[in-house]
Amino acid sequence: GQLAGWLVVDLALGLLVGLTVAVVTESFLLGAQIIGLQAGYGFASVFDPNTQAESSVLLATAQILGGLLFFATGLDRLVLLIFARSLETYPPGAFQLQKSMAEMVITLTSNIFSMGLRLVLPMVAVLVIIDLALALLGRLNTQLQLITLAFPVKMLATLVMLAWVVSLYPKLFVQSTEVALGALKQLLAW
């Protein structure tokens, strides 16, 4: 019975560390979801073998990019180091959930929305400007069928902007990783 109790307590610690690390990549997925809908990539979907469901092209690309950055920045080694350090700080069965830990998780999860929106806000602004320009052009010349032109222009603009923003992803990934790791270091009294 005592061993089962230790397993549950250590499971809570593992879930807390896993959730903290997942927050880092979820902001990229949220940004891809926002821009994919606005740019028209929601129509194209691919089969995701992880979830066995269909997901948009940009979302699948963001998942792959997040996984690559996870390993490229060495976050995998840091997570293993945190688990090793947790054995020293909290021996088996000694971990206890506290209110400050819940506040830390809530603060980190709020970063998902702010960072995801900051990642794609320039692209969304350009797409809104393109929509307004096409609407004004369609209003000035009613014979033009701009609906066939809207999707290619928006998709091309998204790809150009995405090529620019993707170069910033490693830097932003490292910054958000430092915030998450700082919270975990406080948790483990490192």
Side-chain angles (χ1 to χ4, degrees), residues 124-190:
V124 170
V126 167
L127 293 175
V128 167
I129 290 170
I130 289 172
D131 280 339
L132 288 174
L134 290 174
L136 287 174
L137 188 60
R139 183 76 174 147
L140 291 174
N141 192 350
T142 57
Q143 284 86 20
L144 288 176
Q145 296 296 324
L146 295 177
I147 192 71
T148 58
L149 186 64
F151 274 126
V153 168
K154 288 174 72 173
M155 287 182 178
L156 183 63
T158 301
L159 284 178
V160 169
M161 292 289 293
L162 198 58
W164 172 66
V165 171
V166 164
S167 66
L168 301 174
Y169 275 16
K171 182 180 177 181
L172 294 172
F173 189 84
V174 168
Q175 286 177 353
S176 62
T177 299
E178 289 173 357
V179 171
L181 289 178
L184 285 176
K185 286 178 181 179
Q186 283 181 344
L187 169 74
L188 298 175
W190 196 346

Side-chain angles (χ1 to χ4, degrees), residues 78-101:
L78 291 173
V79 168
L80 291 175
L81 185 64
I82 285 171
F83 280 132
R85 177 70 178 174
S86 72
L87 291 174
E88 295 172 3
T89 307
Y90 299 109
F95 180 73
Q96 295 178 357
L97 289 173
Q98 300 168 359
K99 184 179 179 183
S100 63
M101 295 174 194

